[in-house]
C-alpha cells in the first residue's frame, strides 16, 4: 500500500502582460529619425555636388563638340568623341561610387537608430514588466487584431521624442 502526496506550492501565472506597437508609425513619428534623415539628405546632396559640377561641365563640352564637329573635321571629331566617351564612363563610375557610399552610410545610420529604438523598447518592457511586446505594421502584420488598449505605439513614441528633446 503506497500513498503519494503532491503539494504543489508553485504559483502559476494564468496570464501574460502583453502589448504591441506599430513599428512604421513609431519610426514615422520619431523626431530623432526625422532630424537625422534631413541631415543625411543634406549630406547626400553635398556629396553629390562635385559630381553634379562634372556632369554639367561634361554636358557643356558635349554640346560644344556637336556644334564644332563639322567645322573641325572628321579626325578631330573622332578624337574628341573618344575623349568624351572616356570622360562619360569616368563620370558614371564616380556616380556609382558616390551612390554606393551614400547607400552604405544611410544603411549604417538607419541601423544605429533602429538599434536605439529596440533598446528603448526592451528597457521599457522590462521596466513595465511586460512578458511580450509584439510589433506590427501594414507591410508585415504580425498582430492581426488586438484591443487598442494594448497598443503602446503612442506611449513609446512620446517617450522616445521626450528623451530625444532632452539630449
Amino acid at each position: 500500500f503506497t500513498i503519494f502526496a503532491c503539494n504543489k506550492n508553485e504559483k502559476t501565472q494564468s496570464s501574460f502582460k502583453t502589448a504591441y506597437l506599430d513599428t512604421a508609425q513609431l519610426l514615422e513619428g520619431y523626431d530623432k529619425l526625422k532630424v537625422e534623415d534631413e541631415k543625411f539628405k543634406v549630406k547626400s546632396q553635398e556629396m553629390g555636388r562635385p559630381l553634379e559640377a562634372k556632369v554639367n561641365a561634361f554636358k557643356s563640352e558635349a554640346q560644344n563638340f556637336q556644334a564644332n564637329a563639322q567645322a573641325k573635321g572628321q579626325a578631330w571629331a573622332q578624337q574628341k568623341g573618344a575623349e568624351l566617351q572616356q570622360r562619360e564612363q569616368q563620370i558614371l563610375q564616380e556616380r556609382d561610387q558616390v551612390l554606393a557610399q551614400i547607400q552604405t552610410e544611410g544603411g549604417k545610420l538607419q541601423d544605429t537608430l533602429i538599434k536605439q529604438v529596440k533598446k528603448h523598447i526592451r528597457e521599457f518592457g522590462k521596466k513595465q514588466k511586460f512578458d511580450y511586446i509584439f510589433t506590427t505594421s501594414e507591410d508585415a502584420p504580425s498582430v492581426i487584431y488586438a484591443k487598442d488598449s494594448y497598443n503602446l505605439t503612442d506611449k513609446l513614441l512620446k517617450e522616445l521624442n521626450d528623451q530625444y528633446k532632452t539630449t
Side-chain angles (χ1 to χ4, degrees), residues 38-95:
E38 276 304 310
K39 286 181 189 176
F40 186 73
K41 284 179 185 175
V42 170
K43 183 178 180 179
S44 297
Q45 290 170 345
E46 289 172 2
M47 289 172 69
R49 278 196 188 101
L51 182 62
E52 192 175 321
K54 288 179 183 180
V55 167
N56 290 335
F58 175 78
K59 286 179 181 179
S60 176
E61 196 173 336
Q63 287 175 343
N64 288 338
F65 166 77
Q66 290 175 343
N68 293 323
Q70 286 185 340
K72 294 197 175 189
Q74 185 177 1
W76 179 87
Q78 286 178 338
Q79 180 184 352
K80 192 68 173 174
E83 289 173 16
L84 285 173
Q85 283 180 333
Q86 186 176 10
R87 284 204 40 229
E88 182 181 31
Q89 288 301 313
Q90 290 170 338
I91 289 171
L92 290 173
Q93 286 174 348
E94 189 174 337
R95 180 202 64 188

Side-chain angles (χ1 to χ4, degrees), residues 128-149:
Q128 298 294 321
K129 296 182 175 32
F130 279 95
D131 294 300
Y132 297 98
I133 296 177
F134 298 96
T135 61
T136 192
S137 69
E138 286 295 319
D139 297 333
S142 60
V143 176
I144 302 300
Y145 171 78
K147 292 180 183 177
D148 289 341
S149 61

Side-chain angles (χ1 to χ4, degrees), residues 84-163:
L84 285 173
Q85 283 180 333
Q86 186 176 10
R87 284 204 40 229
E88 182 181 31
Q89 288 301 313
Q90 290 170 338
I91 289 171
L92 290 173
Q93 286 174 348
E94 189 174 337
R95 180 202 64 188
D96 291 346
Q97 290 170 348
V98 168
L99 290 174
Q101 183 180 358
I102 289 170
Q103 190 173 28
T104 299
E105 289 183 22
K108 286 179 184 176
L109 175 63
Q110 185 137 9
D111 288 349
T112 299
L113 292 171
I114 297 291
K115 284 178 186 175
Q116 291 171 357
V117 168
K118 285 180 178 179
K119 180 181 177 193
H120 184 84
I121 293 167
R122 280 191 299 275
E123 290 170 358
F124 176 87
K126 286 178 187 175
K127 186 170 60 177
Q128 298 294 321
K129 296 182 175 32
F130 279 95
D131 294 300
Y132 297 98
I133 296 177
F134 298 96
T135 61
T136 192
S137 69
E138 286 295 319
D139 297 333
S142 60
V143 176
I144 302 300
Y145 171 78
K147 292 180 183 177
D148 289 341
S149 61
Y150 293 120
N151 188 342
L152 296 175
T153 307
D154 292 336
K155 188 173 186 173
L156 276 165
L157 187 56
K158 182 181 178 345
E159 272 194 17
L160 283 166
N161 286 333
D162 289 348
Q163 181 183 42

